[in-house]
Amino acid sequence: MSSRWHGFAWLSMPSLLLSAASASEISLELVPTTSTLPAAPALLLFGQWPPRNTEPLLLSNPSLASIVMPGCRELTPTPPPGVSSTLVITNPSACSASELGPLIKHSMRSAGVVLLSSAESGEVVHLPNWGLNGIQTPDVGGYVVSVGKSWGDRLAALMPSLDAAASLRVTPRVGALTIDEERDEWVVEGHGNYYSLVYPEERFNGRTSAKLTITVTPEFGDPDLFVNVGASADTIPLPVRHAAQYSETSPGDDAMDLEITAEMPALKLMILGADASNFTLLVSDEQSVVPLENGRPKRFESAAGTFRYFSVQVPEHELLRVTVTPLTGDPDLFVSCTTTKPDSTSATWSSRQTGQAASEGSPYEHVVIPERDSHRCSNVALCTFNIAVQAKTASTYSIAGVWGSGFIRLNEGLPQAGEINAEEISTGQGMRNYIYRASGTHADLSFGLSLVYGVAHIYVATDGPASPTHATWTSNTLASASERLDIRHTDANFCAACDYHIAIVPAAPHAQPVAYTLSAASAETMTVLEDGTPMASVAVAADAYEYFKFFVSNELVDLQIILTAFRGNPDLYVSTTTPKPNATSFEYTSQDLEGDIIKIDHRDASLVACHERQTTCVVYVSVLGVHDDAQFSLLVSAYPVSAGFHVDLPTAIAGEYEFTTATFGPTLPQLPLSQYVSYAQPHHACAPLENVNDLSGMIALVDRSPATDECPMPERYFANMVLRLQEANAVAVIMANNVDGPLVYMGAVSGDQATRVTIPSIFVSKDTATVLKQNLANGLHVSLSKPSGRIPLLTPGNPQAGATLHSQFQYYEVWTPPGADAIEISVTPSFGNPDLFISSNELLPSQMYYTWTSETSGSESLRIDAADPKACRSCRYYVGVLGAASSTAYTIQYTLTDTLPTLQAGLPMPAIEVKAGEYRYYRCYIDGHGTSGVTIAITIASGDADLYVSFVNEHPTKQQNQFEAEGRMSCNSVDCGNSIKQGDAIHISASDVSKFCNGPCLAYIGVYGALESTVSLLMTLDDDEAPVPLSDGVSQLAVLTHAGDYDFYTFSVGQSAEAFDVTVTPSSGDPDLYLTSNASFPDRYNWEWRSTGAAGEVVRVTLTDPDACVPCTYRIAVYAWTPNVRYSVTATSVKGTRLLNEGAAAPAKAETGKYRFFRYFVRSMEDIELILTDFSGNPSLFTWFNRNPTANKSLDPNEAVPSNALSSERPSGPETIVLDAGARSDCKLPCTLYAAVRAESNASFSLLITQHPSLAIQLVDGQPQAMTIHTPTGERRFTFDAAEVKDGGVGFSLAAFAGSPKMVVSYARADGRVSLTGDAANPVRIEACTPSCANVRFTVVVSGGQSEFAITAKTARSVQLLQDRTPLRGQAAPGTASLYKVDVPSEAANAVLAITVLQGRLDVVLEGSEYSPYTNLTASSTEPLSLPLVPGAMNRVSIGAPRSQQRPSSFVLLPILSSNSTLVVTDGQPAAVAVSPNSVERFQFLSPAGAAVALTASPSGLTTKASISLVARFESDNHTLTEAKRGNDGEMLFMFLTAPEQAICEVYCLLSIELSASAAANVTLTASTLGAVTQLSLDQPVAGEVVGANEAERMRQYVVLLDPNDDKDDELTLDLQVCSSRPSKAALYMSDKVQPSSAFLVSDAGSPPKPLNVGPSTLRGLSKLFVGVGAVGSIEYVLEARYASTPASSSLLSPGEGSVKMKLHRGDEPHMEISFRSTGATRYELYFGRKESETREQFKYWCGVQKGGSVFKTLTFTQTSKSDVVHTDIFLSERADGTICVAGDENVCLPHGEDLTLVLVATVPRANDRARHVLYQPFDFVYHRGGGGPSAFVILILILLFACLGYAGCWVAKRKMQGDHVGADKETWGAFSGETGTLMRGAAARTSAFAKYCYNAALSGFSWSRSKIRDARSRHVAGTRTRGNESMSAPLTAAASQYAAPAVLPALAPAAADGGTEPLQLVMASPLPPDASFGQATQVASTTSGEMFDEPVVATDVRHAGMD
């Protein structure tokens, strides 16, 4: 009971009603009793009643007194002080209430006061306030009694004769009750009214007992019920509060079911006024037909299956409405005029909302009988309607009938259902009227309207019926969804003890049907909660309580109480014993900041004890407003734990049993499925069933399969077992647990046959199964049906918190309106992955059976249009929320077309879809009394949306609003508008009194779709410290304006969580991240996890961490280290699915073999592009539509990615997938796109999605973003927000992977908009702004044709992220430093950062982790640095140039974190890597389609001799082109790959390269394509090719980087070796000038070209040297630039030194004898090749030997001296076909019968351990086996011999025929020789003429070619792009491309003086020419042109070692 019952607190009521109706009736008699003054009725006006004990109350020592008149201020005689007496005042009626009150109060020192009234009724005054307010002292025990005039006069006459022992005895008056008689009564606060009843004997009807129902229904106040039962009324003691057999004392109305017997049929009742109360009292039994009064609701309780009967009498022509409002359970309503006790078969009218057909569109039971209904009574003035309510389950409900013009009277706190249909609205009758009687107290009043559908308002008046035109108060400003109207007692129009008239009116102007419940309550009273129906829009003041109660009719129910906060921080307290629980007295509590859920199990001791105390348990609920006002909704649901599974037979075990249902197959049927049970054989059903016939048609019992080989997978799966029994024709399955423990939910798993299951199945415990099995022989018969508990109701616009376990459904019901409304249901998880299923067929949905579903990962949204053929009107939808991958907590919301959904303060509403050109509207509660402003922010996931807000217009638009934020195309993700927070949201200050509302109000929000958009919406209050809850995988954007500010968030994890990441991605500024798992919020000094590095922050919490907790809520703080921090924060569980926002990269990490999942809402049909930017490791990208990868927790991640998923063809590096119309065939709008990133090795990366090219992409400070331009005219747009541009400014750099992208960077300054241009060679840097550029938004547009690139924006204060195994080129000015960071996985124990200095020196500072000591190191061009990195930390490195340097330092950084990732090779850029023995290093290279590739692998620094191997592969889905080559110990490898076919690649070709070595070695790999500008490293040969198809392809370009301060590189040698074709076709050129001049050094023509020596006079002071190779025709070559002191990597000995003698010996021991002059080497190799026209020339070069030769024999000597002649034998073996091979090695053979060229190669080590190859002169070799036939020479000689003999014979024959002399003499010989000579001279002349013709034709043709070349040159002046710019990195672009064009290079084939042509020449020049665009960037950067071009201008690219 409440505290007012302790310490006489009952005296605290401020007023009393001194009237007969308000006083307690008593009996007063004089004792000792006298016959002359018998007992008389009287009124007890004041005092505790009944007394604490059961003894009669005696007022002792009565004394007579009168009031002195006038004035009424004193008595005469004056009572003696200190004497306790009872004053009998004779003339109280002479005084007014205001006069009498103080006089009585003063006299209460006595035992009591008896007032002798002047009226027979005993009334003294009629005024409501008697003036006894001051009588509140606990020690006052007096009573005030009034008695009628006659009896009072007689008492006064006797008083003088009374002795001292006389007293007045006060006894209660007991009123007689009869069955079915309703009494209308009053009771004063603290008083008790007594009644008695004797149950008539005839009503027992031969039974020994009867069940009575006592109903106490207050119109206002709080009457309590106490009952004693006995044999007769005379013997039963009066019940009192502390001594009663039965009691119902819950605040509000009371109902008691009481069983009496024939032996004890009498009872006495006391109704005690906990408050002053007006109530009705009714006693009824099971036979009763309770009469209903017009408009007077009554509450009843009924057991399952029972009926209760009522009746009403209605005038003939008046409409009747009967309404049943279920509070718990499921009651049905039946009405008839002809049947006394109607039921489902005999009723004329009925409303069965839970039956097979729901006929009305609300969850309540309504019957409306029109005036002219033909089934009504005829020809009678009053028609009697008989009413029956059947409780299908144990139910508590209220019933009301209203007819004619009657109003429904609202009972205190009791909900009353109602509805208004379309017909009533159309006929002008669309209004419902109610009346509420307020008590006489000054308590605040509240009226709550909970709408099931439609929009309606509350109107209230006290001076007559209310209406929209006549109302004192209205809720009209609270439009849409549930409403509440509060009336304060301080309101000027407040009225105590009067009637309040209420009208419910559908909202105009387009009124629609509505269904609702209405409740009224005064402060301190309790509102009754309906089972499953949320009490919405409830307000609670700061530090105050709101009270509720809930009836629990069924013992076997679990309770769930959910508090959903809209604003503020309400706390929840629950008790089953304390009517008003609070912070110090409660049994259950939940005080979470983000919402409260309390679950009470039916076995809970408090709930069990509650049921033991009373039939219907009452659960009390209170909500406390913690510190601030709060707004909330409250939902209580009772879930039957056994309803649905009932054992029918045998009777000994009959009853309900606990069970769970399967998530697969159909749900349990609506009507019971009853059948006998048969036990499967074998019991686990894993093997073929042996009793199929026994199972057919039966309910099968089966044991859960053991996890043994006896029952292997997949037979063990639940679904497969059920399917096996289904195939045996079982009608249902009972699965019996085989272990002790809680019930489990049978779910579908990967690989099972769940989709084929068509019968229901349940799961029971092992104990239940034991009972079932023991009774199988006794005829076990069971019934299965849908659980009968009330399902929680969703009301429009009101968010509802919820939770469910893994694989478990939480169900809701939605009632659709009659109109054509679209319905939208959304689910927003706070953790876990809920899936949404909806059915419209009156069956609960499941994973297999549903009407609509949304199974995306994360937030769900499902829209059902009115035109949907499966949609229904005025019906019920069942909504199921499934915990798909894990347990989940969420908020669910249901909206209609006209509903304004309610935003919860601090809780984002994600996945809002708005169509282009349309609006979506919302609302949020605002407390206008405070100083709290409000911020409304919009986050755009896709598309573009605008934001409008108003306090006065319910539907704000662009034209009608008070505040607006209109997005722009250049904005990304955050809406840009006129707000104080840099345009990301609308902020409304409470100080703006002209617009901000005064008092609690609503803000209305309009979201306009500029494009088809998906957005999220967030409302926060400025002074609201409640954190924003983060949904799993959903980003939240925010701004911290001031340094030192915090933003707070929470993230909840479920039981099955393994780990989660919290990522903070700044677009400007530097945020820090802190986390705690305890109840306190973190800050800089209190944290358990943190990340405080510069730029982005990420924290991974592994739930095995000792500080981690599960399940629980983590607290997150984001701290502004710098001002103006703009960031997004995301919390994503490792099994969660992150929502991608269009245009915003989502960074993430994944461990080896693990997946990270993403999703994107597709709402338009534009092409979709996914871009994966890898930072470390090797992530791979997959994508598909609609199949949620995390829906099935049991799936292996590899199975979660469907087989038809699209993937990138690249094995490593950045990946792009474009989904065009063909790839989107699986997407039927709207749909969801899923993406998965698998880490082939531990990886960090970002994933970006784009769909609308016009929307800009947000760049993250210091984070590279890969991107592709797919068309020649395409472009990409980016934005970058910089809080301040100073102290080094802002830089933008491009790294070109392919193509030649160019960028334009623009921004606004005070003096106008500035645009700067740049490209991969020319980064754009803005040093500073004058005036200062604070909060600048930069716009970047990248164009330049088809290309792939990475773009990075970086402020000077930020830290550049380095990518694993990806070289980054950088530059540092003297005295400056740049910051870099490397995220090193914990397992990367050998991670290093390789620092190669190209120029100058470097100061290197390593901060291994955020808080470790610093390491200071130096590096130079001669001292490269391999910097060990700290594993498991974010390593930060500072790279700077010493201040003493005059020139900047340039360098390359290469992080190497793991040994199995793929290194990206840049076109023309050498990449150095350490190769471990017998391991494979992998590379990838992107080349333009149609381009050949030259590979060079050069080992260096060998500790042992190693042989290296290369495997290069072009491949696509169906085609592969592979080349492989293995070198010898210490040798370089050269590989030339021809251009692959178009079938393999169309635009770009991906070349995969594998490099291995037999011993540890440092290997430099260079890959280059035709046209690339290749870096030529000193002492590092590179391979190349000239194709010669056109002039542009007849040259290859190289650049050598020099150190102007280093004398060592002032003398170099350039060496060109030709590997194929004739060396005379090639020439080598070098230049330090751009234009041709006499300074050109041209190599001597020869065979081969001689090395070109360049001295100090040319090279001193240069930073770059340009080299070219020119050719006529096609050649392959190797080019080397080396220090003059370094020996050539290979050379050819002169004929004198390099001759080799060979002699072949045949016979029994065939061998080859070789002799040569030694070079001092110990290793020689003999190579052979087929003798062709150019083989001998190719074999003069080591690369030619490698390309065209094969090793025949390796010769190894222990020691040889230089110049010694070495003799050695190579022993041979001969095959049957004549082939000779090396003896002992049949795999090395010389081709038989072919002319061969052989060359001997000596391997000579040089200073740096790199192998040097010395070649001997090639020699020819011919081998033929004897007997094999004449050689070709012999055959030729024979032919010539026969030809001569033939000619001579013909000449002799001719001479004889002419008659000339023929003989063996001089004459004949002379004639023969003369004629033969003449013939030969003529043939020579003709041959010479033909040769001259051919020669002239050749010259003419070449001149024509030269003219074509000149024409081409003139057409491509200054604009020709080289093929190098289409390479992977385009190291030289822009300015370099001008140098590379033919118009700028010197002429390649100058004309000779004689008109002929000279060989083509290749030229190289330095430095680069300045160009206008670069000069512009230079000017902005305050850098002079001379400084820029005297030094290397290096692009700070992100991904590859790019060149200027």
Side-chain angles (χ1 to χ4, degrees), residues 1037-1390:
L1037 294 154
V1039 173
L1040 287 167
T1041 304
H1042 306 291
D1045 285 352
Y1046 287 93
D1047 277 341
F1048 294 103
Y1049 303 87
T1050 60
F1051 181 64
S1052 300
V1053 297
Q1055 185 69 50
S1056 62
E1058 296 177 0
F1060 66 92
D1061 293 335
V1062 180
T1063 303
V1064 173
T1065 305
S1067 57
S1068 67
D1070 182 8
D1072 291 340
L1073 177 62
Y1074 302 91
L1075 277 81
T1076 60
S1077 61
N1078 51 45
S1080 63
F1081 278 93
D1083 56 29
R1084 296 176 62 195
Y1085 312 102
N1086 171 37
W1087 48 267
E1088 291 169 304
W1089 299 270
R1090 71 172 175 178
S1091 176
T1092 59
E1097 310 296 337
V1098 61
V1099 166
R1100 166 158 287 193
V1101 178
T1102 303
L1103 299 183
T1104 56
D1105 190 306
D1107 293 327
C1109 60
V1110 60
C1112 67
T1113 297
Y1114 289 79
R1115 269 67 176 176
I1116 302 165
V1118 178
Y1119 173 76
W1121 179 256
T1122 61
N1124 298 316
V1125 175
R1126 300 166 62 89
Y1127 68 92
S1128 68
V1129 58
T1130 311
T1132 309
S1133 61
V1134 293
K1135 294 184 179 180
T1137 304
R1138 179 166 178 175
L1139 177 66
L1140 294 176
N1141 293 338
E1142 183 179 7
K1149 293 182 177 182
E1151 299 172 350
T1152 302
K1154 301 290 187 180
Y1155 285 83
R1156 297 305 298 270
F1157 295 105
F1158 303 83
R1159 72 183 190 278
Y1160 172 72
F1161 298 127
V1162 183
R1163 298 303 182 260
S1164 60
M1165 292 306 296
E1166 290 85 357
D1167 289 353
I1168 302 169
E1169 185 172 8
L1170 282 164
I1171 303 100
L1172 175 70
T1173 305
D1174 58 319
F1175 303 144
S1176 66
N1178 182 17
S1180 298
L1181 178 61
F1182 307 87
T1183 187
W1184 64 95
F1185 287 101
N1186 295 330
R1187 175 177 163 179
N1188 182 359
T1190 61
N1192 191 337
K1193 183 182 177 183
S1194 63
L1195 278 180
D1196 181 88
N1198 290 295
E1199 298 177 281
V1201 177
S1203 58
N1204 63 343
L1206 301 176
S1207 62
S1208 169
E1209 296 180 356
R1210 299 185 183 175
S1212 59
E1215 300 185 11
T1216 300
I1217 297 177
V1218 177
L1219 300 166
D1220 55 17
R1224 296 194 311 271
S1225 59
D1226 291 337
C1227 174
K1228 308 300 181 185
L1229 291 181
C1231 69
T1232 301
L1233 176 72
Y1234 289 98
V1237 177
R1238 173 185 165 86
E1240 309 303 336
S1241 60
N1242 287 343
S1244 62
F1245 56 89
S1246 72
L1247 187 61
L1248 174 73
I1249 193 165
T1250 65
Q1251 191 175 15
H1252 299 91
S1254 59
L1255 297 180
I1257 296 165
Q1258 181 73 42
L1259 295 177
V1260 178
D1261 195 358
Q1263 179 174 298
Q1265 179 56 58
M1267 190 53 62
T1268 301
I1269 298 177
H1270 299 281
T1271 62
T1273 59
E1275 65 179 24
R1276 291 290 191 174
R1277 299 171 61 86
F1278 304 87
T1279 60
F1280 179 65
D1281 294 322
E1284 294 185 11
V1285 184
K1286 63 180 182 179
D1287 299 336
V1290 176
F1292 297 87
S1293 60
L1294 280 177
F1297 305 157
S1300 55
K1302 298 175 175 58
M1303 62 180 166
V1304 177
V1305 180
S1306 60
Y1307 65 100
R1309 284 195 317 202
D1311 54 352
R1313 191 161 188 86
V1314 178
S1315 294
L1316 307 173
T1317 60
D1319 50 38
N1322 302 299
V1324 172
R1325 178 167 292 279
I1326 295 91
E1327 295 292 346
C1329 286
T1330 305
S1332 174
C1333 295
N1335 304 323
V1336 178
R1337 165 157 286 190
F1338 295 91
T1339 300
V1340 185
V1341 179
V1342 180
S1343 58
Q1346 293 175 294
S1347 56
E1348 294 190 15
F1349 59 91
I1351 184 170
T1352 306
K1354 179 182 179 297
T1355 59
R1357 292 182 176 181
S1358 67
V1359 183
Q1360 173 77 48
L1361 176 65
L1362 297 180
Q1363 298 172 256
D1364 182 21
R1365 305 178 71 84
T1366 301
L1368 176 70
R1369 192 73 172 269
Q1371 188 178 42
T1376 66
S1378 296
L1379 297 175
Y1380 302 89
K1381 64 181 179 180
V1382 186
D1383 189 2
V1384 183
S1386 57
E1387 68 275 9
N1390 299 316

Side-chain angles (χ1 to χ4, degrees), residues 391-568:
K392 298 191 65 178
T393 63
S395 303
T396 301
Y397 57 90
S398 71
I399 182 171
V402 61
W403 53 90
S405 58
F407 292 178
I408 296 180
R409 185 169 292 275
L410 297 178
N411 293 333
E412 183 89 24
L414 188 66
Q416 181 59 47
E419 66 177 13
I420 303 172
N421 59 42
E423 182 180 353
E424 291 172 314
I425 295 174
S426 64
T427 57
Q429 300 176 358
M431 183 168 66
R432 290 285 180 271
N433 296 105
Y434 300 85
I435 193 168
Y436 169 70
R437 177 73 178 184
S439 66
T441 63
H442 290 293
D444 295 344
L445 304 179
S446 63
F447 301 92
L449 180 68
S450 295
L451 291 157
V452 178
Y453 57 76
V455 180
H457 304 309
I458 308 171
Y459 300 89
V460 178
T462 56
D463 57 350
S467 69
T469 59
H470 179 78
T472 308
W473 302 274
T474 178
S475 69
N476 185 55
T477 54
L478 305 182
S480 301
S482 299
E483 305 205 2
R484 182 181 173 95
L485 175 61
D486 295 317
I487 302 176
R488 306 291 182 185
H489 71 276
T490 56
D491 191 302
N493 296 307
F494 181 86
C495 174
C498 62
D499 287 335
Y500 284 77
H501 296 268
I502 305 105
I504 304 300
V505 182
H510 305 293
Q512 298 292 327
V514 293
Y516 59 89
T517 58
L518 177 66
S519 62
S522 59
E524 298 294 316
T525 61
M526 290 190 176
T527 300
V528 177
L529 296 173
E530 301 173 67
D531 184 7
T533 301
M535 177 67 70
S537 305
V538 184
V540 59
D543 300 318
Y545 289 89
E546 287 285 329
Y547 299 104
F548 307 87
K549 68 178 180 179
F550 179 74
F551 298 108
V552 184
S553 305
N554 190 342
E555 294 184 16
L556 294 177
V557 292
D558 294 334
L559 298 183
Q560 181 172 264
I561 305 168
I562 300 176
L563 174 71
T564 305
F566 297 154
R567 64 178 175 90

